[in-house]
Amino acid sequence: MFLQQLINGVVLGSTYALIALGYTMVYGIIELINFAHGEIYMFGAFVGMILVTVYHFPFFLAFFIAMALASLLGITVEYLAYRPLRRSTRLAALISAIGASIFLQNLALLIMGARPYTFPSPFAPTVYKTSLFTISRVELIILIVSFLLMLGLTFLIQKTKIGIAMRATAQDKDTASLMGININKVITITFAVGSALGAAAGVMVGIYFRTVTPMMGLMPGLKGFVAAVLGGIGSIPGAMLGGLLLGIAEVMGAAYISSQYRDAVAFAILIIVLLFKPSGLIG
């Protein structure tokens, strides 16, 4: 029972980790909490669902197209809502982020309506059983894809020229600019990568729960933020660890306490972290 819940928590936590990475990357570069990130997650799920169900694209092609289009949406939000306020107060940027989130939510409601949409699983309902736990093919694919994306992001940050530029910009924007780094380009790429990861999480959650709605980004977006704070906002490894721990805590709370308190677990963790270790686990 415990091992089964642990695996369920890791599967859920891997999607939270992808969302948290989007938050922590943007915060690390420009110290902004991108509250529209949950809606980009929702946008990715809708794009993937439409491409698979309406246009009959192969799943993985639809998956990468959803990531690409979500990157464009993230870049657009940054250009329209955040860039003009970059030298303003943090409060102005925060209000702009909340406004962008509300705008995208209501735009999705206007275009798609309020009803839930079914996202059929593109994979056969195969279940792998052992004496200790059971895992489905969809869960296995979610785990593999999530960890591959996390490894890819780690490689990008640590081993590539743009990754070095991101780390330099996060450390000191003014000095990085004097060294010839194009700060606007770095910020744009950061939003693009973070949005792509959010969309990947949205598509995978869509096939996992087989439901997509215009409001689906609200709670996972908040939980992704909690995961980023838990790991240490601004820390890439922290976001990964925070997402996994949050998913495990949420599933264990639902299994051993009550499923009614599933969402409360995340916010209880947020309060505890802010009270006792506001810098996060690796912050």
Side-chain angles (χ1 to χ4, degrees):
M1 176 68 177
F2 176 81
L3 186 58
Q4 181 65 62
Q5 298 302 332
L6 181 64
I7 290 173
N8 293 342
V10 171
V11 171
L12 182 62
S14 64
T15 63
Y16 288 158
L18 292 177
I19 301 171
L21 285 169
Y23 279 109
T24 208
M25 287 176 67
V26 170
Y27 185 85
I29 298 291
I30 59 174
E31 297 185 351
L32 168 72
I33 303 298
N34 179 20
F35 280 113
H37 192 58
E39 281 57 56
I40 292 172
Y41 157 94
M42 172 268 295
F43 174 80
F46 264 110
V47 170
M49 183 269 296
I50 291 169
L51 290 176
V52 169
T53 58
V54 178
Y55 296 102
H56 307 291
F57 277 50
F59 172 74
F60 282 107
L61 178 59
F63 179 77
F64 289 115
I65 292 175
M67 290 177 67
L69 293 179
S71 293
L72 292 176
L73 177 60
I75 291 170
T76 303
V77 170
E78 188 274 329
Y79 185 80
L80 296 177
Y82 302 146
R83 186 171 297 188
L85 299 173
R86 193 173 295 163
R87 298 194 179 276
S88 300
T89 62
R90 288 191 184 184
L91 180 61
L94 180 65
I95 292 171
S96 180
I98 295 171
S101 172
I102 295 170
F103 173 79
L104 291 174
Q105 278 182 18
N106 285 275
L107 182 63
L109 284 168
L110 180 65
I111 295 173
M112 303 302 296
R115 71 178 182 88
Y117 290 81
T118 301
F119 196 151
S121 176
F123 306 107
T126 306
V127 175
Y128 305 100
K129 295 183 179 180
T130 71
S131 58
L132 297 175
F133 63 89
T134 300
I135 188 168
S136 68
R137 178 177 290 182
V138 170
E139 290 173 326
L140 198 58
I141 288 171
I142 289 173
L143 279 176
I144 292 171
V145 171
S146 296
F147 282 104
L148 286 176
L149 289 172
M150 291 182 209
L151 286 174
L153 177 64
T154 303
F155 177 82
L156 175 73
I157 297 295
Q158 297 295 331
K159 302 296 183 180
T160 66
K161 188 175 181 179
I162 187 61
I164 295 171
M166 285 180 179
R167 286 185 283 139
T169 303
Q171 187 172 8
D172 190 326
K173 286 191 287 294
D174 293 332
T175 303
S177 180
L178 291 172
M179 294 297 103
I181 293 173
N182 187 330
I183 301 300
N184 285 333
K185 179 181 177 182
V186 170
I187 292 173
T188 297
I189 292 173
T190 301
F191 269 87
V193 173
S195 299
L197 294 174
V203 174
M204 290 189 290
V205 169
I207 64 170
Y208 187 48
F209 293 109
R210 300 193 178 187
T211 303
V212 178
T213 69
M215 301 300 291
M216 68 178 286
L218 178 61
M219 193 57 68
L222 291 174
K223 289 178 181 178
F225 171 66
V226 172
V229 173
L230 172 60
I233 190 133
S235 168
I236 299 293
M240 297 178 189
L241 178 62
L244 293 174
L245 291 178
L246 179 62
I248 292 169
E250 184 178 317
V251 169
M252 292 298 180
Y256 293 105
I257 302 175
S258 171
S259 60
Q260 294 179 343
Y261 299 109
R262 188 185 190 104
D263 293 334
V265 169
F267 300 108
I269 290 173
L270 177 63
I271 293 169
I272 292 169
V273 171
L274 291 176
L275 284 174
F276 297 104
K277 203 173 190 308
S279 61
L281 297 176
I282 310 181

